[in-house]
Amino acid sequence: MLNFELYNPTNLVFGKGQIAKISELIPKDAKVLITFGGGSIFKNGVYDQVRESLHGYDVTEFGGIEPNPRYETLMKAVEIIREKKLDFILAVGGGSVIDGTKFISAAVKFDGNPMEILHKRLLIKDLSQVVPFATVLTLPATASEMNSGAVITINETQEKLSFGGSALFPKFSICDPQVVSSLPKRQIQNGIVDAFTHVFEQYLTFPHDALLQDRFSEGILQTLIEIGPKVVENPTDYKLASNYMWSCTMALNGLIQKGVPSDWATHMIGHELTALFEIDHARTLAIIGPNLYRVMFETKKEKLAQYGKRVWNIADGSVEEMANQAIEKTVAFFHTMGMQTKLSEYTPDFEKTADFVVNRFQERGWKALGEKQNITPEKVKEIVEMSY
Ligand code: NZQ
Ligand code: ZN
């Protein structure tokens, strides 16, 4: 097993009716900025619950954070915090609102142009240099509620860039699975497939010594397969909703990544498809993931076969046979979850995409991705072209 440090300071508050606990968790004298998205929180009662719990606090609101949050929008919130000297941020929303809030938190006191945080992919580690923040999660998918990473889009240059650091864990996150009941089917489908792929990025590599981590990962995958199609149809079922929410958090809160190699190339390529075509994050993963496993078959075949055997109960065969079947099972699952798995099903303008992605990666010096650093620009081109 590889050496690791496990640090996760987020107080995760999980369950029915927990939004009312906000007032116990934010200091009474805090000057709070509530951040949110396009308004779903007004329709499903989450906003009312949050405001009720913040009764008596000094509260300012900032709405309009878009899916795939934009740098340009977030900088407006940065100005408000500086101007009003606010000292706590409460993100109420999905991954986009939470990621956007992480950027706001890091940018307020940043000495220099905050765009550097993204372009230089700075690691934000100094707690005295960020504005403390917490979250009320409304969309299980990204695990941003319990990790310290974020992905921000710069409108001007159509770049989708990630950053993070140990100072960017939420102080607390309230996860009430009842929020799932108001989610559109499309977003639940996205959440399941995003979490599924998060596990893959940390599990579908090559055989290693971290036996327990493999079992954790397989448990999350099996749970997502068991509940995914059902929760889309029955979002008010608390058993399904709570297991969906917890599986998503567990898929990317750091635990399964400890002591193991990880990949993340599907995400890196997927982010370019979102930047170019505004395809939902999870849907880009369903397009790219299976083709990445096909192109990188030699590197990943043992783990693919293990996944096929343990998660899909594929009966014994050769490693290659089981690995191939595992890829096909995955594609079929993505289809069951409402995904289309070809780029041409989303846009007619796909033909130059591979060259665009390769150029972008080369500009950034990304010449060797993946757990073995063997996903070269040539491989990226092959993966994207196979995804047309
Ligand atoms: O904006 P509002 O009106 O709130 O509507 C949102 C949005 O339109 C809606 N929604 C959220 N909760 C709802 C709801 N509608 C009804 N009822 C509710 N309870 O859902 C839409 C999508 O929301 P968004 O936050 O964009 O979705 P998601 O949580 O999937 O986040 C996606 C973003 O997270 C990034 C992605 O790249 C993308 O930008 N990621 C962040 C990661 C991280 N921080 O660790 C990892 C991921 O791999 C991912 O890259
Ligand atoms: Zn993701």
Side-chain angles (χ1 to χ4, degrees), residues 64-81:
I65 297 178
E66 22 329 63
N68 309 309
R70 298 307 204 263
Y71 168 83
E72 289 82 355
T73 304
L74 303 170
M75 285 307 293
K76 292 180 190 155
V78 169
E79 283 312 313
I80 293 171
I81 293 179

Side-chain angles (χ1 to χ4, degrees), residues 194 198 267 281 285:
D194 193 17
H198 292 159
H267 270 70
H281 170 63
L285 307 175

Side-chain angles (χ1 to χ4, degrees), residues 283-355:
R283 288 168 198 266
T284 68
L285 307 175
I287 297 168
I288 296 298
N291 293 315
L292 187 139
Y293 316 138
R294 289 182 179 117
V295 171
M296 303 312 296
F297 192 77
E298 280 306 309
T299 304
K300 291 184 182 286
K301 65 184 181 188
E302 274 93 6
K303 240 15 215 308
L304 276 163
Q306 177 183 321
Y307 153 70
K309 203 170 173 180
R310 292 190 186 174
V311 174
W312 290 108
N313 303 316
I314 293 172
D316 278 344
S318 69
V319 165
E320 284 77 11
E321 281 163 3
M322 287 195 290
N324 272 318
Q325 279 186 51
I327 296 174
E328 296 320 314
K329 286 273 186 194
T330 306
V331 174
F333 177 62
F334 287 170
H335 288 155
T336 306
M337 293 311 305
M339 300 287 125
Q340 287 157 317
T341 46
K342 288 187 192 318
L343 186 55
S344 52
E345 292 173 295
Y346 291 90
T347 171
D349 301 322
F350 56 84
E351 269 167 17
K352 290 185 181 146
T353 310
D355 289 332

Side-chain angles (χ1 to χ4, degrees), residues 210-262:
L211 306 182
L212 180 60
Q213 284 88 323
D214 272 4
R215 296 288 183 183
F216 282 149
S217 292
E218 289 152 2
I220 297 169
L221 295 173
Q222 283 171 315
T223 309
L224 290 169
I225 291 166
E226 182 180 341
I227 61 163
K230 293 183 200 156
V231 72
V232 172
E233 298 306 327
N234 307 289
T236 54
D237 181 319
Y238 189 76
K239 179 178 167 186
L240 296 173
S242 53
N243 282 289
Y244 159 42
M245 190 173 244
W246 183 224
S247 296
C248 292
T249 302
M250 285 297 289
L252 195 52
N253 65 359
L255 184 68
I256 64 170
Q257 188 150 27
K258 298 303 161 193
V260 305
S262 51

Side-chain angles (χ1 to χ4, degrees), residues 141-142 151 193-195 197-198 201 252 264 267 271 281-282 285:
T142 63
V151 196
V193 171
D194 193 17
T197 310
H198 292 159
E201 300 275 27
L252 195 52
W264 294 110
H267 270 70
H271 288 332
H281 170 63
L285 307 175

Side-chain angles (χ1 to χ4, degrees), residues 121 162 201 204-206 261-272 288 292 295-296 299-300 354 357-381 383-384:
R121 220 178 171 187
S162 56
E201 300 275 27
L204 215 52
T205 55
F206 52 82
S262 51
D263 181 348
W264 294 110
T266 300
H267 270 70
M268 286 163 166
I269 301 172
H271 288 332
E272 297 305 320
I288 296 298
L292 187 139
V295 171
M296 303 312 296
T299 304
K300 291 184 182 286
V357 174
V358 167
N359 281 342
R360 273 253 157 117
F361 284 10
Q362 281 178 330
E363 276 164 25
R364 294 185 197 140
W366 296 358
K367 292 186 185 132
L369 303 177
E371 66 274 16
K372 289 217 160 162
Q373 301 280 286
N374 59 355
I375 306 186
T376 56
E378 294 74 37
K379 297 276 185 210
V380 171
K381 191 169 159 63
I383 293 163
V384 178

Side-chain angles (χ1 to χ4, degrees), residues 69-75 99-100 102-104 106-107 110 113-124 149-157 159-164 168 364 366:
R70 298 307 204 263
Y71 168 83
E72 289 82 355
T73 304
L74 303 170
M75 285 307 293
D99 281 11
K102 288 176 181 172
F103 181 77
I104 297 166
F110 186 73
N113 181 349
M115 212 182 262
E116 285 177 24
I117 297 172
L118 303 174
H119 278 145
K120 296 188 178 163
R121 220 178 171 187
L122 296 180
L123 264 185
I124 311 293
V151 196
I152 305 298
T153 301
I154 304 173
N155 240 350
E156 203 190 334
T157 51
E159 289 172 287
K160 192 170 186 207
L161 301 168
S162 56
F163 79 106
L168 291 175
R364 294 185 197 140
W366 296 358

